[in-house]
């Protein structure tokens, strides 16, 4: 099969850390599904893995963790899936199922978790093998390319809203307005929230208003009223501090980032009055199922830019440059 393979992380601007090449056809082991990939959406985490901001867990590897495809094979012991049926997989590729976190409904915190495109080969390929227990069913209202961006940006954005503690009708801040935030705002508006969006560019602020934001501004601009909760999407610690300063007493900032450049020192008064900082680490399968059902009911709309697999490196470069209007989606 053809696949976009990461041999050694490095800056995309300096060369090609990822290349399309021939790779062995994957073979499903016991409990696994073999999918023929229909679409695989790029995520900023893929970019961070390719460029080395996140250390590799295995090399070479095939990135891509927002994958939709058709079942074309099974390993032993798989039940509940049929040949030709659509299936998807996101960032969470497997857990131990036995630790205290897994038994307590917090499998996102499993120390032995495996992640698609990091520990397991991902979907930037013609085929991919996934753990059948972590495969997700795709709502009928989404085609493959529209569904793919929901599987990480959408799901982790949804979990971030839950972690922030925002309630229906509350005042919510979204700091950064990339693909995940553009999905999260649709959920928040469905819940009747007033949403303030802080973004670095006027273009992003205009997009936020078009999606129902009540107000917009730059990162350092105070919202019209203190926020009940905020979610930060930009991988910059200074943005986290800006969101914290915008909170009402008792509010929470949920940090939606697997990689952050560091949080600078800030006055304790910004945290005083029981304000809270919380990281958002991965998601659970229940999060994914709940979000996909909600996304179909709203319905959430994704904005995409399709790329052939052979243009996968170009898609990542353009994601890094911020020159895309939608989420890049690789279509083998």
């Amino acid at each position: 099969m053809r696949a976009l393979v990461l041999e050694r992380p490095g800056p995309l601007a300096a060369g090609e850390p990822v290349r399309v090449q021939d790779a062995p056809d994957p073979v499903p082991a016991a409990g696994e599904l073999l999918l023929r990939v229909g679409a695989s959406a790029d995520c900023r985490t893929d970019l961070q893995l390719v460029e080395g901001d996140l250390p590799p867990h295995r090399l070479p590897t095939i990135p891509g963790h927002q994958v939709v495809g058709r079942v074309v094979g099974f390993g032993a012991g798989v039940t509940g899936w049929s040949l030709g049926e659509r299936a998807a997989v996101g960032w969470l590729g497997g857990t131990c199922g036995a630790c205290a976190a897994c038994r307590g409904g917090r499998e996102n915190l499993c120390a032995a978790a495996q992640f698609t495109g990091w520990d397991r080969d991902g979907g930037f390929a013609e085929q991919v093998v996934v753990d059948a227990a972590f495969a997700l069913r795709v709502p009928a209202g989404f085609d493959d390319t529209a569904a793919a961006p929901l599987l990480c940006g959408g799901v982790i954005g949804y979990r971030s809203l839950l972690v922030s503690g925002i309630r229906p009708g509350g005042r919510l801040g979204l700091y950064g307005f990339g693909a995940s935030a553009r999905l999260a705002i649709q959920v928040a508006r469905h819940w009747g929230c007033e949403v303030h969006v802080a973004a670095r560019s006027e273009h992003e602020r205009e997009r936020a208003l078009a999606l129902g934001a009540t107000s917009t501004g730059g990162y350092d601009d105070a919202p019209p009223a203190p926020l009940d909760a905020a979610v930060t999407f930009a991988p910059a610690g200074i943005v986290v501090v800006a969101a914290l300063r915008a909170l009402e007493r008792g509010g929470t900032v949920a940090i939606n980032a697997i990689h952050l450049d560091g949080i600078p020192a800030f006055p304790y008064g910004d945290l005083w009055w029981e304000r809270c900082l919380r990281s958002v680490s991965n998601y659970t399968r229940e999060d994914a199922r709940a979000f996909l059902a909600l996304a179909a009911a709203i319905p959430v709309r994704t904005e995409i830019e399709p790329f052939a697999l052979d243009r996968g490196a170009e898609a990542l470069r353009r994601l890094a440059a911020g020159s895309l209007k939608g989420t890049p989606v690789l279509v083998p």
Side-chain angles (χ1 to χ4, degrees):
M1 70 170 184
R2 301 286 285 169
L4 188 69
V5 179
L6 174 64
E7 296 281 358
R8 180 179 297 177
L12 282 159
E16 295 288 358
V18 287
R19 297 178 185 275
V20 175
Q21 57 188 259
D22 290 323
D25 290 340
V27 177
E32 293 182 333
L33 299 176
L34 175 64
L35 305 185
R36 183 180 69 249
V37 176
S40 186
D42 282 10
C43 172
R44 188 155 293 275
T45 302
D46 295 313
L47 183 62
Q48 291 164 339
L49 287 167
V50 166
E51 295 202 304
D53 292 324
L54 296 176
H57 283 183
R58 59 193 287 270
L59 291 172
T61 191
I62 301 171
H65 59 272
Q66 302 188 94
V67 191
V68 181
R70 298 275 176 178
V71 178
V72 293
F74 306 97
V78 173
T79 59
W81 291 94
S82 304
L83 288 175
E85 189 174 6
R86 274 207 308 175
V89 68
W91 177 240
L92 188 65
T95 63
C96 75
C99 68
C102 288
R103 295 197 313 272
R106 301 182 300 157
E107 64 184 8
N108 60 304
L109 304 182
C110 175
Q114 291 193 325
F115 301 106
T116 311
W118 200 7
D119 301 289
R120 301 172 60 99
D121 279 337
F124 292 171
E126 293 174 330
Q127 297 183 86
V128 65
V129 161
V130 305
D131 186 330
F134 288 81
L136 302 167
R137 299 189 185 276
V138 183
F142 298 97
D143 66 21
D144 292 355
T145 56
L150 301 174
L151 297 167
C152 182
V155 177
I156 202 68
Y158 171 74
R159 182 172 181 86
S160 298
L161 294 177
L162 299 182
V163 168
S164 80
I166 190 64
R167 296 179 180 178
R171 292 189 303 275
L172 172 71
L174 302 180
Y175 283 71
F177 204 64
S180 185
R182 293 195 295 271
L183 300 176
I185 193 175
Q186 296 179 61
V187 175
R189 292 296 300 127
H190 179 71
W191 289 343
C193 297
E194 295 180 19
V195 182
H196 173 77
V197 170
R200 60 185 176 182
S201 76
E202 184 60 33
H203 174 66
E204 290 171 325
R205 294 192 285 270
E206 289 173 356
R207 293 179 81 177
L209 291 171
L211 284 169
T214 305
S215 59
T216 64
Y219 290 138
D220 293 326
D221 296 333
L227 304 171
D228 298 315
V231 178
T232 63
F233 297 89
I238 191 67
V239 175
V240 174
V241 177
L244 186 63
R245 288 172 177 155
L247 285 184
E248 181 60 273
R249 298 181 182 192
T252 295
V253 173
I255 306 170
N256 180 349
I258 191 173
H259 170 76
L260 201 65
D261 64 4
I263 298 178
F266 57 88
Y268 177 60
D270 293 341
L271 188 62
W272 177 236
W273 295 116
E274 297 190 353
R275 297 181 181 93
C276 179
L277 288 176
R278 289 193 61 185
S279 65
V280 180
S281 298
N282 316 313
Y283 61 82
T284 68
R285 283 171 286 179
E286 182 54 35
D287 292 330
R289 294 173 188 134
F291 170 70
L292 289 173
L294 180 61
I298 291 175
V300 167
R301 298 302 182 197
T302 56
E303 301 173 78
I304 67 160
E305 291 195 36
F307 288 81
L309 183 62
D310 287 346
R311 297 175 60 207
E314 176 192 344
L316 287 167
R317 282 195 300 270
R318 291 187 58 192
L319 178 63
S323 63
L324 294 162
K325 295 181 179 179
T327 300
V329 178
L330 303 190
V331 183

